[in-house]
Amino acid sequence: MNFNLIEEKGISIIEIGLKRATAENVKEFKEFLFKLIDDDKKQKLIIDLTNVEFVDSSFLGAIVSGLKKVTAIKGDIKILGLQPPVRAMFELTRLYKVFEIFDNKQDVLNSF
């Protein structure tokens, strides 16, 4: 699996272990994310994209779907560690206005 879950201070951190987060991986990612929200009732989620060098619109769509799902149970998803090309995609799609984005793990943990 290309997704690693770490629990820290009651917050779930999903480390994305892919160089390219694309439609090829989106189904597996969505299942992983939705299970955390639906079955495990996780409300405080961080998606760590530090290792990701490219992200496509389908993968971004899955993150947005997760946000819709988690906000319905009064939760939130925050983003950590964007490489310049990934940051450019967040800017191009205007998702930087939807998600809080952090460069530092401690800052994102403290934001909850």
Side-chain angles (χ1 to χ4, degrees):
M1 184 180 298
N2 296 307
F3 315 110
N4 187 32
L5 181 65
I6 298 170
E7 296 285 337
E8 217 170 298
K9 299 180 182 176
I11 300 166
S12 301
I13 304 168
I14 303 168
E15 293 178 336
I16 308 298
L18 302 165
K19 291 287 182 209
R20 298 177 56 81
T22 64
E24 185 178 310
N25 316 98
V26 80
K27 184 176 183 280
E28 181 186 10
F29 172 69
K30 234 174 159 174
E31 287 171 2
F32 184 84
L33 180 60
F34 286 13
K35 181 189 178 304
L36 290 175
I37 298 166
D38 291 335
D39 299 346
D40 301 340
K41 304 296 183 217
K42 301 293 184 185
Q43 292 180 286
K44 297 178 181 178
L45 296 163
I46 297 168
I47 297 179
D48 184 351
L49 296 167
T50 303
N51 298 316
V52 179
E53 295 172 359
F54 174 82
V55 64
D56 73 4
S57 59
S58 65
F59 204 88
L60 290 176
I63 296 172
V64 171
S65 295
L67 180 65
K68 286 181 184 176
K69 198 173 260 295
V70 80
T71 53
I73 60 168
K74 309 271 189 276
D76 199 7
I77 291 178
K78 300 186 183 191
I79 306 295
L80 172 63
L82 299 183
Q83 301 284 343
V86 178
R87 185 175 296 276
M89 279 297 287
F90 270 78
E91 290 171 4
L92 181 70
T93 58
R94 300 206 186 287
L95 287 177
Y96 68 94
K97 293 183 176 188
V98 176
F99 292 97
E100 283 186 79
I101 299 171
F102 296 84
D103 294 324
N104 177 288
K105 184 177 180 182
Q106 202 54 54
D107 289 345
V108 71
L109 286 169
N110 292 339
S111 74
F112 275 103

